């Protein structure tokens, strides 16, 4: 059976700029931490897989480490990340994080066609489930398994999350397509032996996606401006928006 596995952040919705960044900054303010990330700062932090891991990188600054105090760092990171996840989930519930074009349509079409649809992300499971329900609707989200957060010991670009998804769902790698938005995600998918389609966002557009079969500006929707095809190494022939036929063509190998 054909399977479609989505990353969450930057793929299902434009979560980084409109959700995670303000949630991180709100958490820093809540706990009196001497840091506020700009969009450029956050672009750099996105090279690190996982929210707790991004916050942990702040301890490299002695001023931050002193302000954080002498409590156990693992406990601090866990507390901060719980607060950040709560803020992020609230932003989703308030409709502050827009779904990316085409994601809901493709998910609905794939489910109707009998495809397996899943989500595999390094973000906290509560955040991922909130974004999925907001993007695809509660009914569709209830049919989609989610693999997220600390369910694996190593975050993307390590392939562990995709290997786990394949194993748990009994997927055939030859019939499984991953939709990602970043080089870390692409490397994780390819490392698990999976074909990958990349839909870029403002943070990732200039990254190296040499291993991707198809790279587009977005999945697109009828009535929207035509998508931009940035690279195509597949047998797909995209029109103004991607269809299930285009995704099937990606699984057909290189042209």
């Amino acid at each position: 059976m054909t399977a479609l596995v989505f990353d969450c952040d930057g793929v299902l919705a434009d979560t980084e700029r409109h959700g995670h960044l303000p949630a991180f900054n709100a958490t820093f303010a809540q706990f009196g931490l001497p840091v506020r990330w700009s969009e450029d700062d956050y672009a750099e932090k996105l090279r690190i897989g996982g929210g707790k891991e991004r916050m942990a990188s702040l301890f490299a600054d002695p001023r931050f480490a002193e302000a954080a105090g002498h409590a156990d760092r693992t406990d601090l990171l866990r507390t901060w990340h719980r607060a950040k996840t709560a803020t992020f989930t609230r932003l989703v519930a308030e409709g502050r994080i827009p779904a990316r074009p085409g994601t809901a349509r493709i998910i609905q079409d794939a489910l109707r066609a009998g495809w397996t649809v899943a989500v595999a992300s390094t973000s906290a499971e509560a955040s991922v489930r909130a974004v999925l329900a907001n993007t695809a609707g509660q009914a569709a989200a209830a049919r989609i398994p989610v693999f997220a957060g600390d369910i694996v010991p190593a975050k993307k670009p390590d392939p562990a999350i995709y290997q786990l998804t394949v194993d748990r769902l009994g997927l055939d790698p030859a019939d499984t397509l991953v939709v990602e938005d970043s080089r870390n995600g692409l490397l994780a998918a390819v490392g698990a032996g999976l074909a990958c389609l990349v839909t870029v966002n403002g943070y990732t557009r200039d990254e190296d996606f040499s291993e991707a079969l198809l790279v587009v500006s977005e999945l697109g929707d009828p009535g929207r401006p035509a998508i931009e095809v940035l690279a195509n190494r597949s047998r797909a022939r995209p029109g103004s928006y991607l269809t299930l036929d285009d995704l099937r063509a990606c699984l057909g190998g290189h042209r």
Side-chain angles (χ1 to χ4, degrees), residues 31-233:
F31 289 93
L33 300 172
V35 61
R36 179 177 175 82
W37 285 335
S38 67
E39 289 198 2
D40 288 342
D41 294 332
Y42 192 56
E44 289 295 317
K45 293 300 180 184
L46 284 174
R47 298 181 182 182
I48 303 170
K52 286 194 293 293
E53 290 78 3
R54 289 170 197 152
M55 287 191 288
S57 71
L58 291 168
F59 282 103
D61 179 350
R63 188 172 69 96
F64 178 88
E66 181 179 356
H70 301 291
D72 180 80
R73 289 185 179 182
T74 300
D75 289 340
L76 285 174
L77 289 168
R78 188 180 296 115
T79 299
W80 297 341
H81 196 253
R82 275 199 300 265
K84 180 260 175 183
T85 298
T87 299
F88 177 86
T89 303
R90 176 176 55 79
L91 292 174
V92 175
E94 292 173 353
R96 305 273 292 275
I97 303 175
R100 293 205 64 194
T103 52
R105 174 181 57 82
I106 288 289
I107 287 172
Q108 296 286 354
D109 288 351
L111 290 172
R112 279 193 293 268
W115 291 21
T116 297
V117 179
V119 176
S121 171
T122 57
S123 290
E125 183 175 348
S127 297
V128 175
R129 290 192 181 278
V131 172
L132 177 60
N134 186 66
T135 298
Q138 292 285 357
R143 301 172 57 188
I144 298 172
V146 169
F147 303 91
D150 295 327
I151 194 171
V152 291
K155 303 291 178 71
K156 299 173 185 177
D158 192 284
I161 190 69
Y162 285 119
Q163 291 168 337
L164 178 69
T165 302
V166 168
D167 291 344
R168 289 277 183 90
L169 298 180
L171 305 180
D172 180 350
D175 285 329
T176 300
L177 180 67
V178 170
V179 183
E180 271 285 357
D181 71 310
S182 69
R183 177 151 185 81
N184 275 351
L186 169 63
L187 292 176
V190 172
L194 304 176
C196 188
L197 179 161
V198 171
T199 170
V200 300
N201 60 57
Y203 284 115
T204 66
R205 185 182 178 94
D206 295 328
E207 293 183 359
D208 177 9
F209 296 118
S210 301
E211 300 86 351
L213 289 178
L214 181 61
V215 183
V216 294
S217 55
E218 60 178 66
L219 301 180
D221 269 324
R224 284 184 55 81
I227 65 171
E228 183 180 358
V229 178
L230 304 176
N232 188 2
R233 305 174 187 91

